[in-house]
Amino acid sequence: QVQLQESGPGLVKPSETLSLTCTVSGGSLSGYYLSWIRQSPGKRLEWIAYIYSGTTKYNPSVESRVSISVDTSANQFSLKLRSVTAADTAVYYCGLTADNRGGFDPWGQGTLVIVSS
Amino acid sequence: EIVLTQSPGTLPLSPGERATLSCRASQSVSSNFLAWHQQKPGQAPRLLIYGASIRATDISDRFSGSGSGTDFTLTISRLEPEDFAVYYCQQYGSSPLTFGQGTRLEIK
């Protein structure tokens, strides 16, 4: 079965760039929407971005600071969030959506990123 | 942006009882593109339902989804101890994709 694993620094300084990678195992990225979602303490889940067949879509709340990319050969996709502040502190999840379904299935286990000097 | 409002915020029930969770959208959800996810403490969410009423792979038939337009419901027919968790609805019919604030199902 397909499994996802996020990786990246757990601590990022304010104004710097947060970079995360999601590695997919047990299957191919083809045919999936590849998404990043985050969950800040005390706040609801927030979808950040997806990439699908080379097309990207971003949440307007972060659109000016975010980019998503995919490395098909490595079965990975990545997130970059620039100019971070404490408000970007969250658990970051990657998730897949099959193009004939909905929701996110599976989700990665999540990685906590703290923005602090 | 479609805002999803879930009710109640907390639902205290006993094992064996029936749970009914509500999700109301600020505007109609396109093609009933509405999903439900379950999240247990310290774990990632898990997809239960998509397309408002289609159970995801390996999800118990005790879970059922219904609704259309702006009003959706997740029903758990007979609560098991492992069902006590937080439940989120999520719409994927329009961008940005959005989530409800969650309903916490707790043991009474």
Side-chain angles (χ1 to χ4, degrees):
Chain A
Q1 68 192 43
V2 176
Q3 293 185 310
L4 310 182
Q5 178 68 60
E6 303 88 350
S7 59
L11 181 64
V12 181
K13 290 183 168 54
S15 80
E16 295 191 343
T17 297
L18 180 161
S19 296
L20 296 173
T21 296
C22 180
T23 301
V24 180
S25 59
S28 169
L29 297 176
S30 298
Y32 287 101
Y33 291 78
L34 316 175
S35 284
W36 287 96
I37 307 108
R38 67 182 179 181
Q39 188 171 35
S40 303
K43 294 184 72 176
R44 67 180 67 193
L45 290 155
E46 180 183 32
W47 167 78
I48 301 169
Y50 72 63
I51 185 167
Y52 176 71
S53 290
T55 298
T56 57
K57 197 80 169 179
Y58 299 115
N59 192 319
S61 68
V62 294
E63 187 166 15
S64 62
R65 301 190 290 130
V66 71
S67 62
I68 188 171
S69 59
V70 61
D71 183 346
T72 306
S73 64
N75 240 27
Q76 294 177 331
F77 60 105
S78 299
L79 177 77
K80 290 190 187 300
L81 183 63
R82 298 176 291 277
S83 303
V84 297
T85 69
D88 296 309
T89 293
V91 176
Y92 286 77
Y93 296 98
C94 54
L96 301 189
T97 304
D99 58 9
N100 61 347
R101 297 196 172 195
F104 303 105
D105 186 24
W107 295 66
Q109 66 181 35
T111 187
L112 175 61
V113 178
I114 297 173
V115 178
S116 175
S117 56
Chain B
E1 170 174 327
I2 294 179
V3 177
L4 300 178
T5 303
Q6 293 185 240
S7 60
T10 303
L11 182 58
L13 290 170
S14 300
E17 291 192 296
R18 180 186 186 92
T20 302
L21 288 66
S22 174
C23 177
R24 177 161 290 179
S26 60
Q27 55 190 281
S28 185
V29 176
S30 173
S31 302
N32 293 333
F33 284 165
L34 193 286
W36 290 92
H37 302 270
Q38 176 196 64
Q39 186 176 32
K40 297 179 182 178
Q43 296 185 19
R46 177 177 70 142
L47 178 68
L48 300 174
I49 300 283
Y50 64 94
S53 62
I54 304 170
R55 273 189 299 276
T57 304
D58 294 331
I59 299 303
S60 168
D61 60 6
R62 295 183 298 101
F63 292 89
S64 63
S66 63
S68 63
T70 60
D71 288 292
F72 299 89
T73 301
L74 174 70
T75 303
I76 311 171
S77 59
R78 298 170 309 280
L79 286 167
E80 299 282 345
E82 62 268 24
D83 298 335
F84 291 91
V86 179
Y87 292 84
Y88 295 96
C89 57
Q90 176 235 330
Q91 68 80 24
Y92 53 97
S94 64
S95 186
L97 285 62
T98 51
F99 291 85
Q101 83 280 19
T103 289
R104 181 178 304 277
L105 183 55
E106 64 177 33
I107 299 177
K108 192 162 146 184

